[in-house]
Amino acid sequence: MAVACAPTAPPATIAGYKPPAMFAGFLSPQAARTGCIDAVARYYKVAREDVAPTSDQQSMQDGFYVVTLSAAGQARPVNCTVDDNGNVSGVVPAPR
């Protein structure tokens, strides 16, 4: 006998908390990632096309993200701190 379970959607909120929407696997909005790509391209003097976001995470403060990017010619990834609007507050090599 085969038993199938119908998939259920997760709740919209969990105890009143609504998780941020995911955009193409990222928590940060496109404007934030674009701001980081521009900042890393300027910092390392590479073309924008040679910089790609690999992951991100939301900070403890709403509206701020740490985006990890890879830049051509760089052995270590780069962390970029940015807000929802793409205003970058820091670009540093990621810890090993």
Side-chain angles (χ1 to χ4, degrees), residues 59-76:
S59 71
M60 295 297 285
Q61 185 176 1
D62 280 345
F64 286 89
Y65 302 88
V66 176
V67 180
T68 303
L69 304 101
S70 66
Q74 301 301 313
R76 291 172 60 182

Side-chain angles (χ1 to χ4, degrees), residues 13-59:
T13 64
I14 299 170
Y17 170 74
K18 183 177 183 195
M22 301 268 308
F23 299 98
F26 291 98
L27 291 172
S28 59
Q30 182 65 42
R33 292 191 306 279
T34 300
C36 282
I37 290 170
D38 291 340
V40 170
R42 280 191 309 273
Y43 185 81
Y44 286 110
K45 296 178 177 61
V46 297
R48 290 185 77 248
E49 297 79 31
D50 294 334
V51 179
T54 57
S55 65
D56 67 355
Q57 52 188 305
Q58 190 169 13
S59 71

